Amino acid sequence: MFKSLYFRVILIYLSIVFISVLTGFLSALLLYGADGSIEMESELQEKAALIIDLYERTQPDDLPEFMETAAQLSLLNIELFDAETGETVQFNRGEDTLLSKLDSTVTIPWYTGDNRYQLSVSNDLPEGSGMELTVLLCIILVTGSLLVLVATRYLVKPVKAVTSVANQISTGNFNVRLPEGRQDELGSLWTAINDMADDLGQLESERQEFVANVSHEFQSPLTSIKGFSTMLLNEKLSEEEKRRAAQIIRQESDRLSRLSDNLLKLAALDAGSHAFHPVTFDISEQIRRSVLAFEPQWINKRLQVEMNADKTLLTADEDLLIQVWTNLMSNAVKFTPPGGKISISIQTKREHVEVRFFDSGAPIPVEDRERIFDRFHKTDRTRNRKVDGNGLGLSIVKKIVGLHKGSITVCTTNNDGKSFVVRLPKS
């Protein structure tokens, strides 16, 4: 229970009250110590003796009237106890209050004639007690205030730490951390801030990497375009050389166009601005059309392409999924060596449809199987330098599959090629 900040604040408040009252009580003992009590009792005994002596000298007929008059004149509270009858009579006694409990009282025996009495004499708070009470209250107030200042510093210190870390995070320093180990609400807040700093640091690293990759992907074709356009200005070039330079400029321009289109698609998918229109259609027919669209490329590389699929109905966004099959088929054609094999199969499971794209190209290393879906990631930049692509295709695929509440994985069987497996819910 005491791990909660709420109960801790209550405990601190009650402790301050208790310590302040205890300090005031100890101060009262110092102000009204034993010496003061003895002096007060001696004074009361003298006054009680004077009252008895005055009665013995005057011998008034009415004892109660005498006692009442004496009590009023001396500003004392008198209590007379008759030992024979057991009766107690009070004189000049006001109402009992909290302060009346602080009154000093002296009781002495009194024998007059055949009567035996006990005379109790007490007084109200002495003169100046109001000032002393004021001092006492000031002591309690000062003690409480000092304790509140200390407790406030204790409570505010972790809040200041949070503020300091938040300010550093706002300036871009995502490596700063708050100490962990607290078990109260502040501990939960510190953990959340540390997690936020981790996430922001990761996002910043991804942003910087993204900017660097985009700059690189744009810079390479732009450099080629600039170089070959400069060559075209050379009048000594043959027609064949000019034609080759123009073809390269066109290829690099197409590469820039595809890169721009992919970036726009990713931006639209990230922002959720792409309208989602699910319809029921035959997914096998859609994949077959996507495969046939690459027929010139796989015929040129003498690839063996097979597709094993029956009619399979699926409820999904048709326009988005065709982008998935197009990107997967494009990758399969690009990374399958000449004379290799591409196989596409569709299986209907209990709750989902499984689409598998297999190619006999080089398998993907285990350490890269998760990162291949990151933007601009390429498993082997040196080997694939001449392979057209910008590393955005699989990112788009994963994003679209995720929008359909599905999954995509890559696996290798006996180090012979690789398979991209897409699982989509039936509805």
Side-chain angles (χ1 to χ4, degrees):
M1 180 179 69
F2 296 108
K3 294 180 179 179
S4 170
L5 183 62
Y6 174 75
F7 287 105
R8 188 173 297 178
V9 171
I10 293 178
L11 181 62
I12 290 174
Y13 172 76
L14 294 177
S15 300
I16 289 174
V17 172
F18 175 76
I19 295 174
S20 299
V21 172
L22 180 61
T23 303
F25 176 74
L26 295 176
S27 301
L29 290 180
L30 293 176
L31 290 175
Y32 309 113
D35 293 340
S37 298
I38 294 174
E39 181 180 353
M40 182 66 65
E41 290 179 0
S42 176
E43 182 180 348
L44 288 176
Q45 287 179 351
E46 291 179 1
K47 291 182 178 181
L50 287 175
I51 292 174
I52 294 175
D53 182 64
L54 180 61
Y55 178 83
E56 295 294 343
R57 288 182 181 182
T58 58
Q59 292 293 325
D61 296 332
D62 193 342
L63 178 59
E65 183 178 355
F66 171 81
M67 287 297 176
E68 182 67 30
T69 302
Q72 292 179 1
L73 292 176
S74 61
L75 301 178
L76 295 175
N77 300 321
I78 297 177
E79 185 176 286
L80 188 63
F81 173 73
D82 191 334
E84 295 181 358
T85 62
E87 294 182 357
T88 300
V89 182
Q90 295 179 344
F91 305 96
N92 196 31
R93 187 73 177 181
E95 296 182 358
D96 288 337
T97 62
L98 184 61
L99 293 178
S100 65
K101 296 180 180 180
L102 299 177
D103 296 346
S104 298
T105 302
V106 171
T107 301
I108 60 176
W110 179 21
Y111 302 95
T112 174
D114 297 332
N115 299 322
R116 291 182 303 157
Y117 300 100
Q118 285 186 352
L119 180 64
S120 299
V121 179
S122 64
N123 66 341
D124 294 329
L125 288 176
E127 294 183 3
S129 60
M131 178 61 69
E132 293 168 349
L133 283 176
T134 302
V135 173
L136 181 61
L137 292 176
C138 289
I139 292 174
I140 295 176
L141 179 61
V142 171
T143 303
S145 299
L146 292 176
L147 292 174
V148 166
L149 289 176
V150 174
T152 302
R153 184 180 181 84
Y154 167 75
L155 293 174
V156 171
K157 184 177 180 180
V159 178
K160 287 184 176 180
V162 172
T163 304
S164 176
V165 169
N167 289 333
Q168 295 184 60
I169 291 176
S170 66
T171 59
N173 181 11
F174 303 119
N175 295 321
V176 64
R177 294 293 182 273
L178 286 164
E180 298 184 356
R182 294 182 67 109
Q183 302 298 322
D184 55 8
E185 291 84 351
L186 284 176
S188 301
L189 177 61
W190 288 6
T191 301
I193 290 178
N194 288 338
D195 293 341
M196 179 188 68
D198 291 335
D199 294 340
L200 290 176
Q202 180 66 25
L203 287 175
E204 178 63 16
S205 299
E206 293 177 358
R207 184 192 68 83
Q208 293 178 358
E209 183 179 2
F210 178 79
V211 171
N213 287 327
V214 169
S215 300
H216 173 75
E217 293 294 336
F218 272 100
Q219 186 64 34
S220 297
L222 286 175
T223 301
S224 299
I225 292 173
K226 181 179 180 180
F228 284 101
S229 61
T230 303
M231 287 179 56
L232 289 176
L233 297 176
N234 188 354
E235 298 180 355
K236 296 181 181 181
L237 288 178
S238 63
E239 290 299 323
E240 180 63 25
E241 291 175 330
K242 291 181 180 179
R243 187 181 304 106
R244 178 174 173 273
Q247 288 177 348
I248 293 177
I249 290 176
R250 180 176 179 180
Q251 291 174 359
E252 295 300 320
S253 298
D254 291 341
R255 180 180 170 186
L256 282 175
S257 178
R258 289 193 299 272
L259 176 59
S260 177
D261 289 342
N262 285 336
L263 287 174
L264 290 175
K265 288 176 183 176
L266 273 176
L269 292 172
D270 287 338
S273 58
H274 189 286
F276 193 79
H277 299 295
V279 294
T280 301
F281 61 96
D282 183 3
I283 190 176
S284 62
E285 181 61 27
Q286 184 188 53
I287 296 176
R288 185 174 289 106
R289 291 197 305 268
S290 300
V291 171
L292 291 176
F294 288 89
E295 186 175 7
Q297 289 93 320
W298 49 265
I299 289 180
N300 186 49
K301 295 182 69 174
R302 294 174 284 106
L303 301 179
Q304 180 184 354
V305 179
E306 298 177 353
M307 181 172 177
N308 180 19
D310 296 327
K311 182 178 181 179
T312 305
L313 297 180
L314 183 72
T315 301
D317 190 310
E318 190 172 6
D319 293 336
L320 287 178
L321 281 188
I322 196 171
Q323 183 69 47
V324 173
W325 318 132
T326 299
N327 287 357
L328 291 178
M329 188 61 189
S330 174
N331 272 7
V333 172
K334 282 190 293 186
F335 295 103
T336 302
K341 178 181 178 181
I342 297 176
S343 177
I344 301 101
S345 63
I346 302 177
Q347 293 183 346
T348 302
K349 304 294 183 179
R350 182 177 180 180
E351 296 181 353
H352 65 270
V353 174
E354 180 180 289
V355 180
R356 184 180 296 265
F357 275 75
F358 167 82
D359 68 75
S360 59
I364 297 176
V366 176
E367 62 271 14
D368 286 329
R369 291 180 186 176
E370 290 295 329
R371 295 201 61 199
I372 58 172
F373 298 104
D374 295 344
R375 301 174 187 187
F376 297 106
H377 181 76
K378 297 180 180 180
T379 57
D380 192 341
R381 292 184 179 272
T382 58
R383 187 182 69 230
N384 296 328
R385 187 176 298 164
K386 296 182 179 179
V387 177
D388 187 23
N390 48 50
L392 293 176
L394 290 179
S395 296
I396 295 175
V397 168
K398 185 175 183 180
K399 191 71 176 180
I400 294 175
V401 172
L403 290 176
H404 286 82
K405 309 299 182 184
S407 65
I408 179 171
T409 56
V410 59
C411 56
T412 301
T413 305
N414 298 326
N415 291 324
D416 182 19
K418 58 186 174 295
S419 296
F420 284 90
V421 183
V422 178
R423 296 178 178 86
L424 297 170
K426 291 183 178 180
S427 59

